[in-house]
Amino acid sequence: MLRYLNKCSTGRGAWLLLALTAFALEMVALWFQHVMLLKPCVMCIYERCALFGVMGAGLAGAIAPKTPLRYAALVIWLYSAWEGLRLSYEHTMIQLHPSPFVTCDFAARFPSWLPLDKWLPSVFVASGDCAERVWSFLTLGMPEWLMVIFAAYLLVALLVLIAQAFKPKRQEHFSNVA
């Protein structure tokens, strides 16, 4: 399996699949926001940024999968999946154990060199309450599903990282001499 993952990491298909899954999740988030009219909270916006990180890692890996850029993409993937898991866990704890002393910010804080909320407010402006549970599926809320998703991203990223030590087997061709 690890040899197979190593082989996949040197091809564009797997990296594009990673980017496509993150893009699909971003589209679902925007559908929740603009069609179902669910207001994203600050934690939702940060989790959305982590998904964009996973998508960016997929695109970076797809650009040149046989070069060292693959390793940079893998680092971005690992970091984004870890941060997404951490953020969604924190968000889940806020929802499961609401407290007036533990709240999220009123607005997302982006660095001055990357003001995403100014550049694309329809995607990055928060207006919801982190403690409010507005949607659930199979008894799990949105941040709990994101924990599952980011844990899966992180697990696969760790397996791909480990797989980098396993070189794919060379195909040897034998010809029959009569």
Side-chain angles (χ1 to χ4, degrees):
M1 179 179 90
L2 292 174
R3 291 186 197 284
Y4 177 73
L5 286 174
N6 184 309
K7 182 181 175 199
C8 287
S9 74
T10 60
R12 283 192 171 85
W15 290 104
L16 289 173
L17 180 62
L18 176 66
L20 182 67
T21 61
F23 178 75
L25 289 167
E26 291 290 352
M27 292 299 102
V28 168
L30 291 173
W31 184 75
F32 279 132
Q33 180 180 351
H34 296 291
V35 176
M36 291 183 65
L37 302 177
L38 301 179
K39 297 177 181 176
C41 67
V42 170
M43 294 300 288
C44 294
I45 298 299
Y46 292 152
E47 291 156 358
R48 197 175 279 185
C49 290
L51 268 176
F52 274 113
V54 171
M55 184 171 36
L59 294 174
I63 289 172
K66 294 183 188 324
T67 68
L69 183 59
R70 174 176 89 232
Y71 299 110
L74 188 53
V75 168
I76 295 168
W77 181 8
L78 284 162
Y79 176 75
S80 297
W82 173 257
E83 279 300 305
L85 182 60
R86 185 187 65 75
L87 289 163
S88 56
Y89 175 79
E90 185 179 328
H91 191 182
T92 298
M93 291 301 108
I94 290 171
Q95 284 191 353
L96 293 179
H97 310 289
S99 166
F101 305 108
V102 179
T103 61
C104 57
D105 296 333
F106 291 112
R109 287 186 263 161
F110 293 108
S112 60
W113 54 269
L114 190 67
L116 295 174
D117 54 338
K118 306 285 188 277
W119 293 345
L120 205 53
S122 62
V123 177
F124 294 107
V125 169
S127 57
D129 180 11
C130 293
E132 188 179 357
R133 190 176 175 140
V134 294
W135 178 89
S136 68
F137 178 68
L138 299 175
T139 72
L140 296 178
M142 206 171 299
E144 293 163 302
W145 279 110
L146 283 173
M147 278 178 51
V148 171
I149 290 165
F150 282 119
Y153 276 141
L154 185 60
L155 176 64
V156 174
L158 287 170
L159 288 173
V160 171
L161 177 66
I162 293 167
Q164 297 310 300
F166 293 84
K167 300 296 180 207
K169 289 183 180 177
R170 292 184 58 198
Q171 300 272 341
E172 294 188 27
H173 301 286
F174 295 101
S175 60
N176 293 334
V177 179

